[in-house]
Amino acid sequence: MNKKLYKLMNWPEIEGIIYSEEDNPHAVLGAHVAGNSVLIQTFQPGAKSVRIQPEKGDKSYPMELADEAGFFAALIPGKALFAYDYLVEYEDGTLKKVKDAYNFKPQITKEDTEKFNAGIHYNIYEKLGAHPMKLDGVEGVYFAVWAPNAVRVSTVGDFNGWDGRVHQMRRLWNSGIFEIFIPGVQAGDCYKFELKVKGGLTYLKADPYAFGQQLRPETASVVREINGFAWEDQKWMKNRKKIQAKNAPMSVLEMHLGSFAKPEDGREFYNYRELATKIIDYVKKMNYTHIELMPVMEHPFDASWGYQVIGYYAPTARYGSAEDFMYFMNELHKAGIGVILDWVPAHFPRDAYGLSNFDGTCLYEHMDPRKGSHPHWGTLIYNYGRPEVKNYLIANALYWIEQYHADGIRMDAVASMLYLDYGKNDGEWVANIYGGNENLEAVEFLKHLNSVVKKREDGVLMIAEESTAWPKVTGDVKEDGLGFDIKWNMGFMNDYLSYIKNDPYFRSGCHNNLTFSMIYAYSENFMLVFSHDEVVHGKATMLGKMPGGRKDQFANLRLTFGYMITHPGKKLLFMGQDIGEYDEWNEERSVEWGLLENPEHKKLNKLMSDLNKLYTTKPALYAKDDSWEGFEWINCITPQQCMLSYLRKAEKPEDTLVIVANFANAKQDFTVGVPFEGKYKEILNTDAKAYGGTGTVNTKEKRSIEKEWDGKPYAIEMVSAPLSLSIFAYTPYTAEEKAEIEKAKAEAIRKAKEAEEKRIAKEEARITALEAKAAKEAAKKAIEEAEAKEKAANEAAERWKKINAKK
């Protein structure tokens, strides 16, 4: 070997590269000016020879084999660096032209790493992961990964034979980040990171920030370009904040993409693009405002339904590519449909190629299993106190919002994040610094996340699946709230289902379950939910939960849907329940769309469509959803009749709706107190024949009766079918109707007065006649008495006369 070349080479670092233990290979490999020459070094394992081919000129330079493992070096005269390729010949005689990956500067700055290490680099996904780009006129992909405790990290893939020696990465100062730009790699190429950790263990990991993943059971990450999609949803995005305001209607169809519909051509799944058309058609027909997708982030196990995520930044390959999913979102927005994404920051699976023990240490999780694992779920818990982990999750939520235009993030299992002892027995958890069971780090993470989303993407909804009484879940962060926009109302769901499953004969004894939700209805901004969790694992479908025979089950379910729509709160229903499925949901089958050929199921489906339409067009059902001003009980204290009546109100009195629900399996006649004089027309009755009922409805408009009832100044009288709900719309009398009513009242008063006068005159005449009769009888009696007295006097005089005569 050339002595000058030999002296210029750093042999200890070269040995580190050959043994794959060097974390700064760029200091050795590539081209470096050395005095009056350029030193070029490369490691090409398995190569027989290597030549340097400058891009300009015809001359090439042979490289000397410095180590038989495949390390080559050459000293080129001149001080100027130049562009070149390697011409590599292998032992089997094959030739390959290779661009040098070690001549490119880092694309991550110290400012980037400082922000990331502080947990505030909200676009870190633009730096870490795999990013196609052109550097110095060279096309390739820039790779970067956070693995602070690794000895060495390499990028491996189809492009280098999955050989971790070929593309060893550079550690960026003390950031814990490794990076490399590899020329020639393209979108669609598969890759992983190979990590060598202390002790020598070497293994492969999928990219935590990958924009694509292989379809299971394969586990490699996939290079994806996500910046070229042409969005056409500007109108939706402009109006989104108004569409999703507190005082706007929101009816959500929750769905699992893989089982919403199944192809009939032998494929396992439809593509995102195909699903978009099918979903839009159904959602528009049913008048839902939004859909909520069970997790679309890449996950290895179908039966986890997406709740055990490996690829947090990758739309699952089951249904297509990242661009396909963008198309899906774009099309739904163009159709006026919002999309909420389920997101799982509470835990992650232990799969060896995922985040667990990522760099040989518990990097994303806690080391102490009492903090870092869920014993019942078998999953790991994020270390929310580590800034880089918190940054990973916050940036991920923003990624789905900003890159895929998600309209909301529904956060799964928030309760498990808030409580250190969630699902754990004594001895399986560690108290916080104050001795309590609150996860203070998770609380701060949630506040941080929600405040950042509000600051960057105001109008996007943050929704919590939180099942406990933790206060201020939807409270403002500035007032020590968690900062969510909406909380799932699990209490309503549990109480209502425990009530409705009872035979109507026994419902009077648990009436409180029906009304208790209104005690706390305005303590948070709630969404009423009948989600996928309620129709699996032996719980039965919504229809299957209903008591009685088939006819009564449908009636109970119609009543249930009506009560949910008219109860304060946003709405969510899982797919298949609005057609009355009897079979529990199973991710391996499609929704049973064939049931719509059956009249009972079709009519139930029509009811849900009409309820959604009514909900989205009647301000009383949504305009004051977060205030007592929008709701008022009429009668909630007659459990023996199993009935409820209540008002839903908006700004205008004429928007008022009167709702009467009959939970008894008996036809009943009700007198219902109403607040205003006017007309009350039944605009929906769940017992209508169009919905599969008996047709016991109130066809005639009800005019208010001027009498106090239920604490109201007026009342209406109506008939209520068994297991039914009626909705009456109020209309004030017109001026003409009012004048006519006043005229009728005046006429009635006049006639009543005349009748009263006649009655009085008749009564007076009767009394006069009675008095005359009494006077006549009194006079007769007086005469008779006088005559009797006269007779008696005469008789006495005669007796006296006789006495005197005897004398």
Side-chain angles (χ1 to χ4, degrees):
M1 173 176 281
N2 183 297
K3 290 184 179 180
K4 184 178 180 181
L5 173 61
Y6 181 86
K7 290 181 180 180
L8 289 173
M9 296 172 68
N10 187 324
W11 291 100
E13 291 184 353
I14 291 172
E15 185 175 276
I17 292 171
I18 292 171
Y19 287 99
S20 301
E21 294 181 348
E22 177 60 47
D23 65 359
N24 187 19
H26 291 67
V28 176
L29 301 176
H32 301 270
V33 175
N36 294 322
S37 304
V38 175
L39 175 62
I40 299 177
Q41 301 175 89
T42 185
F43 185 37
Q44 301 289 342
K48 178 181 178 182
S49 66
V50 180
R51 297 185 68 86
I52 298 169
Q53 178 66 61
E55 287 189 0
K56 294 182 180 179
D58 298 327
K59 190 174 182 180
S60 65
Y61 303 92
M63 301 186 75
E64 294 192 46
L65 179 62
D67 188 283
E68 60 185 10
F71 195 93
F72 293 83
L75 199 60
I76 310 300
K79 297 181 179 180
L81 296 175
F82 56 92
Y84 61 88
D85 295 323
Y86 293 123
L87 299 177
V88 183
E89 181 185 6
Y90 294 94
E91 292 293 343
D92 60 3
T94 58
L95 293 173
K96 184 178 180 182
K97 181 182 284 190
V98 178
K99 288 280 186 187
D100 197 331
Y102 293 93
N103 288 331
F104 301 94
K105 295 179 180 179
Q107 300 304 298
I108 297 175
T109 66
K110 282 205 170 186
E111 181 183 0
D112 288 325
T113 60
E114 287 170 0
K115 289 171 67 178
F116 175 62
N117 294 142
I120 56 172
H121 198 314
Y122 304 126
N123 294 95
I124 191 61
Y125 58 82
E126 295 177 349
K127 301 296 181 178
L128 299 182
H131 302 279
M133 61 179 65
K134 181 185 285 188
L135 294 182
D136 300 333
V138 179
E139 298 278 359
V141 173
Y142 186 76
F143 296 93
V145 64
W146 178 59
N149 300 298
V151 173
R152 181 265 306 167
V153 181
S154 299
T155 303
V156 297
D158 297 333
F159 43 83
N160 61 16
W162 297 87
D163 189 336
R165 298 172 297 172
V166 177
H167 290 119
Q168 300 177 48
M169 304 171 76
R170 163 173 52 196
R171 185 192 298 270
L172 295 181
W173 36 95
N174 62 348
S175 68
I177 293 174
F178 289 78
E179 60 82 45
I180 190 172
F181 176 76
I182 304 179
V185 180
Q186 300 176 346
D189 286 350
C190 295
Y191 71 99
K192 281 187 178 181
F193 294 118
E194 182 182 277
L195 289 84
K196 189 171 188 176
V197 299
K198 294 173 183 176
L201 181 65
T202 303
Y203 51 81
L204 299 178
K205 287 284 187 180
D207 181 2
Y209 288 85
F211 294 156
Q213 295 276 143
Q214 284 185 304
L215 177 62
R216 50 90 179 106
E218 304 302 328
T219 60
S221 301
V222 181
V223 177
R224 294 292 187 200
E225 174 59 77
I226 66 168
N227 295 321
F229 186 79
W231 289 93
E232 301 170 333
D233 63 347
Q234 292 79 10
K235 181 179 178 181
W236 170 269
M237 298 296 284
K238 180 180 178 181
N239 297 325
R240 181 169 66 183
K241 185 175 180 180
K242 180 179 179 182
I243 293 170
Q244 301 192 154
K246 277 187 181 181
N247 62 349
M250 186 175 185
S251 182
V252 183
L253 180 65
E254 184 192 23
M255 64 177 61
H256 176 261
L257 285 179
S259 56
F260 178 80
K262 291 282 190 183
E264 297 179 358
D265 57 7
R267 289 180 297 158
E268 193 171 7
F269 303 110
Y270 279 115
N271 182 274
Y272 289 115
R273 295 173 185 260
E274 297 170 295
L275 285 166
T277 301
K278 295 179 180 296
I279 289 170
I280 289 170
D281 289 345
Y282 185 70
V283 170
K284 298 298 283 186
K285 167 197 162 189
M286 294 300 295
N287 297 303
Y288 292 103
T289 63
H290 291 67
I291 64 169
E292 180 179 313
L293 301 181
M294 294 167 70
V296 297
M297 302 80 187
E298 194 58 79
H299 50 282
F301 184 41
D302 288 12
S304 76
W305 311 329
Y307 291 99
Q308 294 194 9
V309 181
I310 289 290
Y312 273 79
Y313 286 81
T316 176
R318 289 168 176 81
Y319 321 122
S321 67
E323 184 174 304
D324 291 333
F325 187 55
M326 289 180 180
Y327 175 91
F328 176 93
M329 299 291 289
N330 189 56
E331 291 302 303
L332 266 79
H333 284 171
K334 285 163 60 180
I337 301 168
V339 184
I340 299 164
L341 301 182
D342 271 14
W343 186 57
V344 192
H347 61 119
F348 60 94
R350 298 174 181 268
D351 298 65
Y353 69 95
L355 297 178
S356 64
N357 201 42
F358 190 80
D359 63 354
T361 68
C362 295
L363 187 63
Y364 286 87
E365 68 272 32
H366 286 278
M367 181 181 295
D368 187 338
R370 296 175 299 172
K371 292 183 177 181
S373 68
H374 275 297
H376 295 164
W377 295 345
T379 53
L380 300 173
I381 302 172
Y382 283 103
N383 183 348
Y384 303 108
R386 184 165 287 159
E388 297 89 348
V389 174
K390 186 164 60 175
N391 201 151
Y392 173 74
L393 293 170
I394 294 175
N396 183 243
L398 290 169
Y399 166 79
W400 293 103
I401 293 167
E402 296 177 355
Q403 298 301 317
Y404 291 91
H405 295 194
D407 302 303
I409 298 292
R410 177 267 189 185
M411 203 176 299
D412 182 66
V414 172
S416 74
M417 300 170 65
L418 293 174
Y419 296 97
L420 294 166
D421 59 348
Y422 184 90
K424 298 181 179 181
N425 300 314
D426 290 346
E428 294 179 344
W429 63 283
V430 179
N432 62 34
I433 58 173
Y434 302 110
N437 66 342
E438 302 87 358
N439 190 333
L440 303 179
E441 294 171 343
V443 170
E444 287 309 307
F445 160 71
L446 294 173
K447 291 180 177 180
H448 188 172
L449 168 63
N450 288 328
S451 61
V452 169
V453 171
K454 283 290 166 288
K455 183 176 180 180
R456 289 170 65 107
E457 296 293 338
D458 194 16
V460 170
L461 297 174
M462 299 299 289
I463 304 170
E465 184 209 14
E466 205 287 311
S467 55
T468 73
W470 187 282
K472 297 184 178 181
V473 173
T474 57
D476 195 312
V477 171
K478 295 177 182 177
E479 298 174 358
D480 202 31
L482 295 183
F484 286 96
D485 297 287
I486 297 173
K487 173 181 173 177
W488 273 23
N489 195 337
M490 312 295 280
F492 166 84
M493 178 267 297
N494 287 321
D495 288 346
Y496 181 83
L497 292 180
S498 71
Y499 174 87
I500 200 69
K501 73 180 181 181
N502 286 299
D503 186 285
Y505 184 81
F506 300 104
R507 284 177 181 168
S508 61
C510 50
H511 193 70
N512 185 60
N513 285 348
L514 196 57
T515 60
F516 183 67
S517 60
M518 288 308 304
I519 299 294
Y520 59 86
Y522 302 109
S523 62
E524 302 277 7
N525 299 322
F526 282 117
M527 175 179 282
L528 311 182
V529 297
F530 293 123
S531 72
H532 69 275
D533 283 326
E534 305 316 310
V535 296
V536 292
H537 301 323
K539 296 179 183 178
T541 63
M542 288 297 294
L543 184 60
K545 296 178 196 295
M546 302 298 130
R550 185 179 178 90
K551 177 183 174 182
D552 288 347
Q553 284 185 307
F554 274 91
N556 273 296
L557 187 55
R558 291 194 301 268
L559 171 58
T560 295
F561 289 160
Y563 188 56
M564 178 181 73
I565 288 293
T566 56
H567 188 290
K570 310 302 183 189
K571 327 295 177 187
L572 179 141
L573 183 66
F574 184 58
M575 65 180 192
Q577 306 316 298
D578 56 8
I579 65 174
E581 285 189 338
Y582 269 113
D583 293 335
E584 286 190 350
W585 173 60
N586 183 330
E587 78 280 354
E588 295 181 355
R589 68 160 176 86
S590 169
V591 171
E592 297 176 296
W593 298 113
L595 291 175
L596 291 176
E597 299 298 319
N598 180 296
E600 286 178 300
H601 295 274
K602 186 176 182 179
K603 289 176 179 180
L604 175 69
N605 190 241
K606 175 175 171 52
L607 169 66
M608 195 64 216
S609 176
D610 287 355
L611 282 169
N612 277 329
K613 186 174 182 179
L614 191 74
Y615 168 61
T616 55
T617 55
K618 295 294 182 183
L621 293 174
Y622 61 81
K624 293 189 175 183
D625 225 15
D626 60 345
S627 167
W628 272 107
E629 295 178 2
F631 179 91
E632 183 180 346
W633 285 119
I634 297 174
N635 186 343
C636 64
I637 55 172
T638 53
Q640 68 279 5
Q641 290 181 288
C642 297
M643 71 85 69
L644 292 176
S645 55
Y646 47 96
L647 300 175
R648 293 306 310 274
K649 300 181 287 185
E651 290 291 342
K652 301 175 183 177
E654 54 266 33
D655 288 332
T656 301
L657 298 177
V658 176
I659 295 96
V660 181
N662 179 8
F663 289 88
N665 198 0
K667 180 180 175 181
Q668 301 188 74
D669 293 315
F670 294 128
T671 299
V672 181
V674 294
F676 308 116
E677 181 185 39
K679 299 170 289 184
Y680 292 83
K681 181 177 180 178
E682 188 176 74
I683 57 175
L684 189 142
N685 189 321
T686 62
D687 194 59
K689 287 185 177 180
Y691 306 137
T694 65
T696 304
V697 299
N698 297 275
T699 54
K700 292 184 178 180
E701 191 173 65
K702 303 295 180 181
R703 290 184 174 242
S704 60
I705 306 166
E706 194 169 346
K707 69 174 180 179
E708 186 173 339
W709 200 270
D710 293 329
K712 302 291 184 289
Y714 304 94
I716 60 172
E717 295 175 345
M718 52 88 67
V719 63
S720 182
L723 306 171
S724 71
L725 180 139
S726 299
I727 303 174
F728 292 88
Y730 163 67
T731 304
Y733 290 130
T734 64
E736 291 79 9
E737 288 172 328
K738 188 70 175 173
E740 187 65 28
I741 290 170
E742 292 300 324
K743 183 179 178 181
K745 279 184 179 179
E747 181 64 17
I749 292 171
R750 185 187 66 78
K751 288 181 178 180
K753 185 177 180 182
E754 286 181 357
E756 182 65 12
E757 288 174 348
K758 288 180 179 180
R759 186 192 68 78
I760 292 172
K762 185 177 181 181
E763 182 66 14
E764 288 176 346
R766 186 182 67 82
I767 292 171
T768 300
L770 289 172
E771 288 175 344
K773 182 180 180 182
K776 184 177 179 181
E777 290 177 350
K780 181 181 178 183
K781 185 176 181 181
I783 292 170
E784 289 175 347
E785 289 177 349
E787 289 176 346
K789 287 180 180 180
E790 184 180 357
K791 182 179 179 181
N794 291 335
E795 289 176 349
E798 188 63 33
R799 285 195 300 271
W800 181 255
K801 190 175 180 180
K802 288 178 178 182
I803 294 171
N804 287 331
K806 287 180 179 181
K807 290 181 177 180

